[in-house]
């Protein structure tokens, strides 16, 4: 599975709305997940080694961002028939195991991942209070192995978005496993 990197941030691009089912059985829209000062939309999955290496830090940083008025949501976009490790039942287990304090939603049709131009898991989109894109970078320098004491790039960027309404000019791309797209019928 080749590692993919995300493109450069398209500053100001508007967030795409959605209505997706969460692991708690509720359906969520973008408005349900938005924060007063910004919103973090993450594309994650259960089986990707890049996600597994940093998931506890993602949870930690999302919890810290709540205090800055940043809302968060994670969306699982992969084809669950071809990748059963990413099934909805396994999503529930993954979220519980890692103590998600944010909705974990399934994109069964993959329409939302396509609308966001999602490339890989993890893929992070940091939006300002008006839902304009301000960050499309990585969590930190970790890849498939955590980097001890790595600078918390996503956390710092989203705090900046909350305080100033704009993300840093320089952003390093996220790297992860390619999205597992369904084959066209």
């Amino acid at each position: 599975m080749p590692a993919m990197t995300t493109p450069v941030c398209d500053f100001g691009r508007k967030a795409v709305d959605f209505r997706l089912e969460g692991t708690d059985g509720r359906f969520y829209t973008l408005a349900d997940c938005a924060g007063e000062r910004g919103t973090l939309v993450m594309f994650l999955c259960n089986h990707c080694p890049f996600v597994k290496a940093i998931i506890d830090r993602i949870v930690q940083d999302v919890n810290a961002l709540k205090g800055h008025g940043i809302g968060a949501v994670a969306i699982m976009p992969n084809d669950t028939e071809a990748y059963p490790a990413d099934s909805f039942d396994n999503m529930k287990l993954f979220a519980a195991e890692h103590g998600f304090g944010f909705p974990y939603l399934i994109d069964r049709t993959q329409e939302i991942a396509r609308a966001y131009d999602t490339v890989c898991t993890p893929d992070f989109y940091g939006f300002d209070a008006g839902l304009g894109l301000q960050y499309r970078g990585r969590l930190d320098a970790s890849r498939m192995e955590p980097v001890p004491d790595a600078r918390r790039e996503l956390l710092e960027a989203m705090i900046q978005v909350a305080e100033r309404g704009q993300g840093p000019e320089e952003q390093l791309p996220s790297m992860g496993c390619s999205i597992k797209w369904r084959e066209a019928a």
Side-chain angles (χ1 to χ4, degrees):
M1 92 181 61
M4 307 289 288
T5 57
T6 56
V8 175
C9 182
D10 184 8
F11 286 96
R13 176 182 171 189
K14 290 298 180 184
V16 176
D17 199 5
F18 50 80
R19 184 177 184 277
L20 299 171
E21 186 178 6
T23 55
D24 61 0
R26 282 186 50 203
F27 281 82
Y28 290 85
T29 64
L30 179 61
D32 295 327
C33 303
E36 182 180 325
R37 300 177 79 190
T39 305
L40 178 62
V41 176
M42 304 171 283
F43 287 85
L44 306 177
C45 74
N46 311 327
H47 86 274
C48 172
F50 291 92
V51 172
K52 287 178 165 183
I54 61 173
I55 192 61
D56 293 328
R57 282 198 269 195
I58 291 171
V59 171
Q60 176 187 5
D61 287 356
V62 168
N63 287 337
L65 288 170
K66 287 179 188 175
H68 294 275
I70 301 292
V73 60
I75 299 172
M76 202 299 295
N78 286 342
D79 176 355
T80 58
E81 288 182 28
Y83 293 86
D86 289 333
S87 73
F88 194 59
D89 285 340
N90 284 330
M91 287 174 60
K92 292 176 185 179
L93 295 172
F94 191 74
E97 177 184 345
H98 295 285
F100 282 21
F102 48 88
Y104 191 27
L105 315 179
I106 188 164
D107 183 8
R108 287 186 172 93
T109 66
Q110 300 184 314
E111 290 175 23
I112 302 306
R114 289 189 191 283
Y116 274 84
D117 296 323
T118 304
V119 173
C120 59
T121 56
D123 203 342
F124 301 102
Y125 297 80
F127 296 96
D128 58 30
L131 297 174
L133 187 63
Q134 294 297 323
Y135 188 74
R136 179 122 185 242
R138 63 188 188 178
L139 179 79
D140 62 26
S142 300
R143 297 293 187 218
M144 286 196 281
E145 293 293 327
V147 174
D149 301 318
R151 189 174 138 241
R152 296 166 76 182
E153 296 167 45
L154 174 69
L155 178 73
E156 292 172 9
M158 291 309 297
I159 290 172
Q160 181 178 324
V161 169
E163 293 175 352
R164 298 186 218 157
Q166 65 186 68
E169 285 186 35
E170 290 189 32
Q171 301 175 14
L172 295 170
S174 185
M175 178 185 279
C177 298
S178 63
I179 301 301
K180 308 311 183 231
W181 301 108
R182 282 188 185 81
E183 297 208 16

